[in-house]
Amino acid sequence: MTPADRVRRRAVGSAIVLSVPAVLLLLALFAVPLLRLLALSVEGGSLVAYQRALTNELYLRVIFETFKIAAVVTLLTLALGYPVAYVMATSGRVWQLVGIAFVLLPFWTSILVRTYAWMVMLGRNGVVNRTLIGWGVIDSPLPLLNNLAGVLIGMVHVLLPYMILPVFNAVKKVDPNLVLAAEGLGAPRWRAFLRVTLPLTMNGVAAGVTLVFTLSLGFFITPALLGGGRVVMIANLIEEQVRELLNWAFAGALSAILLALTLAAFWGISRIARTRSA
Amino acid sequence: MAAQEVRDADLRVDGVAKRYGAVVALGGVSLSVAAGEFLTILGPSGSGKTTLLKVVAGFEFPDAGRVTVGGADITDVSPAKRNIGMVFQNYALFPHMSVARNIAFPLQMRGVPKSEIDRRVIQAMALVELQGYGERLPSQLSGGQQQRVALARAVVFDPTLLLLDEPFGALDRKLRESMQLEVRRLQRRLGLTTVFITHDQEEALVLSDRIAVMDGGAIRQIGAPDEIYDRPADDFVAQFIGESNLLVGEIAAPDRVVLDGGTSVTVRGLDGGHGRVRLLVRPEKMAIDSATNRFTGTIVEAVYLGEAHKLRVKVAEGVELLVRGHRAVPTGARVTVGFAPEDAHVIRGAG
């Protein structure tokens, strides 16, 4: 055994020891309840709950809606987040810190508080509508609350940092000389961006897309409050089954389906990202 | 990339100034590079040489002054429209593109048809002896090969000017020497007007038609390598290029200088006058048991260099002379060293 091997073996050994508490915590608080829930969903050895969830048109529509909302939210956060991340990563140190502070600020506020704040902002008499009417942009209030628009606005706001931070990181890692080289070789700025910066930051985009999409699939509070009962995602359905109908088996089945779909989405996105970067 | 094509793009830099806040990076620099000439800008870090290169490439805009290539003023032209090939210090190869696609990049940006791109990329890879490497990624190449790719990419689109920003720094000594000669051969073959930036004086002497020595945002001297080495304009140039003995003294009579230690020495080409001067004598011009201009001292250091011996001789308190010769003399020995009158270069007016 060479000294390098010994060092490596010791590092692996201490890594195992150090991860024991976290693994125990996850087992006790996540894996065990999850397995219990899955056990409930097949109570009595029957798959009735799954059959119901996957054949009833109503539930299929909720699953489809959930995916559609997650996809739209992901696209919106990407479209809004990439430019912010790019500007942050390419500006000076001070502006970078200011930018990071502003991106992280919402993290320190409860998601519930932020969602209620959006209700104040988006209502018929809310800040947004009053301002737009005051400026004469619109005559009557826009429906921004208790519908899909409200849910999308709220979700995009909550999830934006999960897109900005990985992309910011990726843009920062691009050697500025590469962009200069591209320009020197005859590429106008936008072409240098499309041919060099963008492909080299695709790993950050993939990370952001994965985070935002998978997090969106399980969103609960925002659709519940800003959707006003008219926008139902899987998580809302599960909550309803447990709290109002006490149907643990069906809730368990829906949870298992959500988990499976999330893992599938995760796997799919990382596969696309891998083939693209290869 | 037709080698027979006559290039007549000369580079002129007129009074270019650039400051960053209170720091003057370039204090009104002027120089001209003839068509097909290989000019080296040599200077320590912070001398302004990199800023000057960036101004020529278009990555920095000067506060004052003009840059002209082949008679056309390009001072306000964007880098993309300058048609200048540049090799970066770390090569700046696009890591996500194959060798062939890296080299094709400038041609694609110019809208060259696909078939012509393929032809010219193959031609450029042959020029730098990288046939068969087209599909590799830069990360799969050695440092020397990466450099060749960078070079091919910088010349494939027939640039009017080639800029080299310390391209040999990352290579080991042997590879560096062979790459230097290769770059020089390629540059001659293509007849490219070339500006080369380096802090390595040896590299500058080997490669250049002319050298511009920069310090403090200004050009201290510009001339052929032997001119810079044998007749430096000032102390800075003398000390920056090669090793040197600088002897300070006062003019006593035509061809006669009394050094501060009291020794009187004979030189050539000094037609009298008054004032203080410095005499530059290169270590290889110093000889043991010289017939003229003799100093007696003790060897304080003897280093064997393979092709020569380098000796440090203490001739007075605080005065040491460097001697490069073929005789091995042990440390501690008493010797007499000196130089011939014609081997001292007089720098006038030095303090």
Side-chain angles (χ1 to χ4, degrees):
Chain A
M1 199 161 68
T2 67
D5 283 337
R6 223 169 295 143
V7 168
R8 211 170 300 134
R9 186 167 295 190
R10 205 182 313 149
V12 170
S14 45
I16 291 172
V17 172
L18 286 172
S19 58
V20 164
V23 170
L24 286 179
L25 196 72
L26 273 177
L27 276 177
L29 298 179
F30 181 72
V32 171
L34 187 69
L35 288 174
R36 281 215 47 180
L37 194 63
L38 293 183
L40 283 173
S41 72
V42 290
E43 209 163 32
S46 113
L47 290 174
V48 174
Y50 287 92
Q51 197 190 6
R52 186 171 153 223
L54 294 173
T55 50
N56 185 314
E57 204 188 319
L58 181 72
Y59 301 133
L60 283 177
R61 227 182 43 223
V62 171
I63 292 171
F64 176 74
E65 265 310 285
T66 306
F67 264 76
K68 198 183 81 185
I69 291 173
V72 173
V73 167
T74 306
L75 287 178
L76 287 175
T77 49
L78 182 59
L80 293 171
Y82 196 105
V84 174
Y86 182 85
V87 169
M88 269 167 62
T90 51
S91 50
R93 257 186 69 79
V94 175
W95 285 112
Q96 220 164 80
L97 288 175
V98 171
I100 291 172
F102 272 101
V103 170
L104 289 180
L105 205 59
F107 269 142
W108 301 325
T109 325
S110 150
I111 182 171
L112 205 58
V113 172
R114 279 186 281 159
T115 306
Y116 276 117
W118 275 117
M119 292 172 80
V120 176
M121 296 281 288
L122 298 176
R124 279 186 68 81
N125 255 321
V127 179
V128 174
N129 272 322
R130 270 212 310 262
T131 308
L132 288 178
I133 290 171
W135 285 350
V137 181
I138 50 173
D139 297 327
S140 55
L142 291 173
L144 294 173
L145 199 57
N146 302 327
N147 58 14
L148 187 61
V151 174
L152 290 179
I153 292 172
M155 284 178 72
V156 166
H157 174 236
V158 172
L159 291 167
L160 211 44
Y162 295 94
M163 184 63 81
I164 292 177
L165 291 177
V167 174
F168 166 79
N169 223 0
V171 177
K172 260 197 86 85
K173 280 198 192 124
V174 176
D175 177 0
N177 273 344
L178 294 180
V179 180
L180 290 185
E183 287 180 35
L185 290 167
R189 288 221 163 157
W190 62 273
R191 284 189 88 174
F193 173 79
L194 286 181
R195 291 289 305 272
V196 177
T197 312
L198 189 61
L200 287 176
T201 50
M202 279 315 284
N203 55 344
V205 170
V209 164
T210 311
L211 275 172
V212 171
F213 190 76
T214 51
L215 286 173
S216 297
L217 287 177
F219 248 58
F220 169 69
I221 293 176
T222 310
L225 294 181
L226 297 177
R230 262 176 274 177
V231 180
V232 181
M233 293 177 72
I234 302 183
N236 304 102
L237 200 58
I238 295 171
E239 191 260 0
E240 190 188 54
Q241 292 297 323
V242 171
R243 207 166 53 99
E244 287 171 26
L245 307 171
L246 295 175
N247 190 344
W248 284 91
F250 191 56
L254 285 173
S255 303
I257 290 167
L258 176 59
L259 183 66
L261 290 175
T262 308
L263 288 175
F266 192 81
W267 179 80
I269 296 169
S270 57
R271 236 186 92 96
I272 293 169
R274 217 173 314 129
T275 48
R276 285 208 129 235
S277 64
Chain B
M1 202 159 15
Q4 65 278 9
E5 189 181 322
V6 181
R7 291 164 199 284
D8 50 1
D10 59 322
L11 167 70
R12 287 179 58 91
V13 173
D14 285 314
V16 164
K18 177 81 189 173
R19 52 194 312 158
Y20 300 103
V23 182
V24 177
L26 292 174
V29 170
S30 299
L31 64 84
S32 60
V33 188
E37 188 182 18
F38 193 113
L39 178 105
T40 297
I41 299 177
L42 175 67
S45 56
S47 59
K49 59 184 195 299
T50 304
T51 308
L52 181 58
L53 190 80
K54 282 182 173 168
V55 167
V56 174
F59 302 141
E60 292 281 2
F61 290 98
D63 302 332
R66 312 306 297 171
V67 179
T68 330
V69 173
D73 188 331
I74 58 162
T75 317
D76 303 316
V77 174
S78 77
K81 296 203 176 111
R82 290 193 179 200
N83 209 37
I84 291 176
M86 177 158 170
V87 176
F88 286 74
Q89 200 166 1
N90 60 359
Y91 317 137
L93 297 176
F94 305 128
H96 57 301
M97 295 184 201
S98 67
V99 168
R101 292 185 34 152
N102 261 283
I103 300 173
F105 187 87
L107 300 174
Q108 289 173 339
M109 291 304 126
R110 285 165 176 76
V112 176
K114 175 92 175 64
S115 57
E116 162 127 20
I117 289 180
D118 292 346
R119 191 178 61 74
R120 285 169 74 172
V121 167
I122 287 170
Q123 210 180 350
M125 286 200 295
L127 193 70
V128 295
E129 285 159 20
L130 275 179
Q131 297 100 323
Y133 283 88
E135 292 317 305
R136 302 263 191 112
L137 285 175
S139 57
Q140 295 166 319
L141 302 180
S142 70
Q145 289 169 332
Q146 290 183 22
Q147 164 132 70
R148 287 159 198 264
V149 178
L151 202 57
R153 189 178 68 173
V155 300
V156 71
F157 57 99
D158 285 332
T160 49
L161 196 64
L162 178 63
L163 305 180
L164 306 167
D165 183 12
E166 307 220 16
F168 307 115
L171 304 176
D172 63 64
R173 194 185 170 82
K174 239 183 120 179
L175 189 56
R176 190 178 342 171
E177 283 171 4
S178 73
M179 279 310 296
Q180 284 168 4
L181 296 175
E182 208 167 309
V183 165
R184 189 66 168 118
R185 186 178 53 79
L186 187 73
Q187 182 266 340
R188 285 225 175 91
R189 199 169 134 196
L190 300 178
L192 272 167
T193 312
T194 302
V195 178
F196 171 58
I197 297 278
T198 187
H199 65 267
D200 184 328
Q201 38 106 3
E202 228 173 286
E203 213 163 74
L205 293 173
V206 171
L207 288 169
S208 323
D209 291 325
R210 281 191 305 150
I211 299 172
V213 183
M214 274 192 85
D215 185 48
I219 291 177
R220 305 294 284 258
Q221 187 175 6
I222 184 161
D226 56 343
E227 199 181 322
I228 299 269
Y229 187 80
D230 294 334
R231 296 184 296 281
D234 58 28
D235 285 17
F236 175 81
V237 177
Q239 279 173 325
F240 194 69
I241 302 207
E243 289 181 308
S244 51
N245 293 298
L246 282 171
L247 306 168
V248 189
E250 195 102 27
I251 302 172
D255 285 350
R256 191 123 207 106
V257 173
V258 176
L259 300 180
D260 285 0
T263 320
S264 173
V265 294
T266 314
V267 298
R268 290 273 182 276
L270 187 63
D271 48 10
H274 299 285
R276 296 185 63 75
V277 290
R278 292 202 170 199
L279 305 180
L280 165 74
V281 185
R282 296 290 183 189
E284 67 273 16
K285 302 287 189 191
M286 283 280 184
I288 293 172
D289 297 334
S290 162
T292 48
N293 299 332
R294 292 153 66 95
F295 302 82
T296 308
T298 314
I299 310 264
V300 290
E301 192 181 72
V303 180
Y304 179 53
L305 300 171
E307 83 279 9
H309 292 271
K310 191 165 93 178
L311 309 171
R312 210 142 54 78
V313 185
K314 186 176 175 185
V315 296
E317 204 47 57
V319 184
E320 291 180 349
L321 297 177
L322 285 173
V323 183
R324 214 182 227 273
H326 295 289
R327 268 176 59 185
V329 188
T331 310
R334 297 280 297 171
V335 288
T336 303
V337 296
F339 58 92
E342 60 273 20
D343 287 335
H345 168 64
V346 181
I347 302 170
R348 272 183 177 269

